[in-house]
């Protein structure tokens, strides 16, 4: 939480309510719990990732790629 400023880490969003920890590489696809694979996100962006409306890849916190397909 501290690393991401206690707010959503998606560029342009700084929501501080309804925060979730997201695995950039999903656990089911081999992703682990290391900090570089975890990202703090608001529940709206987290839901967008899991419905395919937002794609996040890379390593947190500095090498992220964020796209809205």
């Amino acid at each position: 939480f501290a690393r991401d400023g206690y707010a959503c880490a998606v560029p342009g969003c700084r929501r501080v309510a309804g925060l979730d920890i997201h695995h950039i590489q999903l656990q089911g696809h081999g992703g682990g719990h290391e900090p570089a694979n975890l990202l703090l996100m608001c529940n709206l962006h987290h839901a967008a990732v899991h419905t395919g409306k937002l794609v996040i890849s890379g390593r947190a916190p500095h090498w992220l790629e964020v796209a809205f397909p």
Side-chain angles (χ1 to χ4, degrees):
F1 277 70
R3 181 200 67 195
D4 292 336
Y6 299 93
C8 182
V10 173
C13 181
R14 296 308 297 161
R15 288 188 68 208
V16 296
L19 298 175
D20 298 320
I21 297 174
H22 171 69
H23 289 82
I24 298 167
Q25 182 180 9
L26 300 178
Q27 290 178 286
H29 296 138
H33 298 297
E34 64 275 1
N37 191 45
L38 301 175
L39 186 64
L40 192 59
M41 302 174 75
C42 68
N43 55 356
L44 299 174
H45 283 120
H46 197 197
V49 167
H50 288 286
T51 58
K53 295 177 182 175
L54 174 64
V55 176
I56 297 181
S57 60
R59 297 183 59 78
H62 303 293
W63 295 282
L64 290 173
E65 294 182 27
V66 179
F68 291 92

